[in-house]
Amino acid sequence: MVSISRIKDLGKEFPPRAVIKEIVGEDSDGQRIDNFLMKRLRSVPKSHIYQLLQSGQVRLNSKRVDAGHPLKLGDIVRIPPVRIAQDNPLSKKKITKSAFIPFEVLYEDETLLVINKPAGLAVHGGSGVSFGVIEQLRAQHPDWKFLELVHRLDRETSGVLLLAKSRATLVDLHRQIRARLIAKRYLTLVKGRWHNARQSVKLPLNKYVTAAGERRVAIATSARDKIGGMTAHTVFTLKKSWQGFSLLEAELKTGRTHQIRVHLAHLGFPIAGDDKYGDFTLNKKLARGAAKPNLERMFLHAFLVEVVHPVTGKSLLLEAPLAKDLQEFLNGLDVDGGGGFTG
């Protein structure tokens, strides 16, 4: 047996032709087995890890297990032989102090960290991204024994991001997410004139992969897709409108991948600057100077999260002011009325 406390980084040390049996310690108690494996096999693609689970090559207490199964203290995880990509240049890089990004901290205590994530930065490394938010923060605070993302934001989305500094905090916040006890609200600018003061949208979503291998999400339209689709519920509130744009507050009732973006695009109100589901002609005009100032990224900002603190039991209202580039773009719309940019 290999004790979890004696394994520093299986992503570096794991031999290609050996089976590892690892005892789950306190730091992984309650963690999903897929996340457990991803943390230890950092150089292995996520798709391959899921294949190992689905094929039964990964075993928990000698039994097959689903990817979302939570681990318990003392469980034994069998990790099959996996060939690590030792020549991956990203795995060899380290973050130097000169490359540290100063994050705006919205809240921090011994168990919870909340930052205002800047746009253009992924929450974690991978897919050609060397260092995301989590890698940056771990490098900046090597004395922290535990730090994990509570949830995710798209790379181009700015705003409130929660990170847990203890396993117990992470488990409780995930429980709140599953129970839909955490309130999340975003500000987004869409193409077109939105007329309803408040509109509830319930449209199921399906994930798919494009011919180019990119992951996408679409509204489930057929009867078959609706049965297998993921329930998705968003409430939109109109905050302000211009000739060609509307500023909306989006309240997530569920937290599906690209939920806000897909709901709005399906309704005919694509998010300004959205490079996956948006109006590409409009996006080019906004980025190349049709608007002053330019809009060079997706206009989506997580401005508010309300959560119950896992330790104190008190409600926390966490807010991030609208990012400077987005506010400046709105100021520009106020000057010219928003006309002439709808392509």
Side-chain angles (χ1 to χ4, degrees):
M1 291 293 180
V2 179
S3 172
I4 189 173
S5 63
R6 293 194 294 109
I7 298 180
K8 296 182 179 180
D9 188 355
L10 281 178
K12 296 178 180 178
E13 302 173 8
F14 191 62
R17 292 191 178 90
V19 171
I20 293 292
K21 290 187 177 180
E22 186 170 339
I23 302 172
V24 175
E26 292 183 358
D27 63 331
S28 296
D29 187 19
Q31 185 177 29
R32 285 171 51 126
I33 192 168
D34 55 351
N35 293 332
F36 173 87
L37 293 169
M38 289 174 194
K39 186 175 181 180
R40 278 146 185 79
L41 304 176
R42 296 184 187 277
S43 298
V44 177
K46 291 182 181 179
S47 59
H48 186 57
I49 289 177
Y50 283 112
Q51 288 174 3
L52 293 174
L53 285 162
Q54 292 169 4
S55 64
Q57 294 183 66
V58 171
R59 297 274 175 157
L60 180 64
N61 301 324
S62 300
K63 297 180 180 179
R64 297 173 71 108
V65 64
D66 293 332
H69 190 88
L71 299 173
K72 295 181 181 179
L73 184 66
D75 279 346
I76 301 174
V77 179
R78 177 194 184 274
I79 304 175
V82 179
R83 187 167 295 279
I84 304 299
Q86 298 291 350
D87 57 348
N88 182 355
L90 296 182
S91 65
K92 298 180 180 179
K93 293 183 178 179
K94 293 184 178 181
I95 308 176
T96 61
K97 290 185 178 181
S98 62
F100 283 176
I101 296 173
F103 294 105
E104 178 186 358
V105 176
L106 303 174
Y107 178 88
E108 183 178 8
D109 60 23
E110 293 182 353
T111 64
L112 181 64
L113 174 66
V114 184
I115 67 167
N116 185 2
K117 186 189 89 67
L121 183 64
V123 293
H124 57 74
S127 300
V129 178
S130 300
F131 309 115
V133 171
I134 190 69
E135 289 84 9
Q136 282 277 345
L137 286 169
R138 285 171 178 163
Q140 292 176 30
H141 303 279
D143 56 316
W144 290 358
K145 296 181 179 179
F146 184 94
L147 186 67
E148 295 288 349
L149 293 162
V150 174
H151 62 110
R152 298 182 181 184
L153 292 177
D154 290 338
R155 184 173 182 175
E156 293 305 313
T157 303
S158 53
V160 181
L161 181 67
L162 278 65
L163 300 101
K165 296 168 69 176
S166 74
R167 171 65 56 190
T169 294
L170 182 66
V171 170
D172 187 76
L173 290 176
H174 280 175
R175 175 193 64 80
Q176 293 186 47
I177 291 174
R178 290 193 299 271
R180 301 180 184 177
L181 300 176
I182 295 181
K184 295 181 181 179
R185 299 189 182 187
Y186 294 70
L187 286 174
T188 186
L189 187 76
V190 300
K191 173 187 175 182
R193 295 292 297 272
W194 187 279
H195 296 291
N196 297 330
R198 183 178 171 86
Q199 183 173 342
S200 179
V201 178
K202 295 181 179 180
L203 293 169
L205 305 176
N206 268 334
K207 294 182 179 180
Y208 69 99
V209 179
T210 67
E214 296 185 31
R215 296 180 180 180
R216 290 287 191 274
V217 179
I219 300 297
T221 54
S222 68
R224 181 178 180 180
D225 286 346
K226 288 180 179 178
I227 293 175
M230 301 173 291
T231 302
H233 183 192
T234 316
V235 177
F236 296 103
T237 302
L238 178 61
K239 306 299 291 184
K240 191 172 182 178
S241 61
W242 295 266
Q243 182 176 334
F245 297 96
S246 300
L247 181 66
L248 306 178
E249 176 186 301
E251 180 182 358
L252 289 182
K253 296 297 185 180
T254 56
R256 307 303 184 188
T257 301
H258 297 173
Q259 175 177 321
I260 297 173
R261 302 165 68 177
V262 176
H263 274 175
L264 288 170
H266 179 77
L267 295 173
F269 295 88
I271 296 177
D274 188 342
D275 64 354
K276 285 186 172 64
Y277 309 100
D279 183 320
F280 306 125
T281 300
L282 173 64
N283 292 347
K284 288 181 180 179
K285 292 181 68 175
L286 297 178
R288 292 179 180 176
K292 296 182 179 180
N294 296 359
L295 181 64
E296 298 182 350
R297 57 108 163 181
M298 179 172 60
F299 197 120
L300 186 60
H301 178 77
F303 81 94
L304 183 148
V305 172
E306 186 172 6
V307 62
V308 174
H309 196 291
V311 177
T312 67
K314 295 182 179 179
S315 178
L316 291 178
L317 189 64
L318 306 161
E319 298 182 78
L322 190 62
K324 183 178 179 181
D325 61 331
L326 302 185
Q327 185 59 60
E328 289 178 348
F329 185 77
L330 293 185
N331 295 342
L333 292 182
D334 287 335
V335 173
D336 60 37
F341 304 136
T342 55

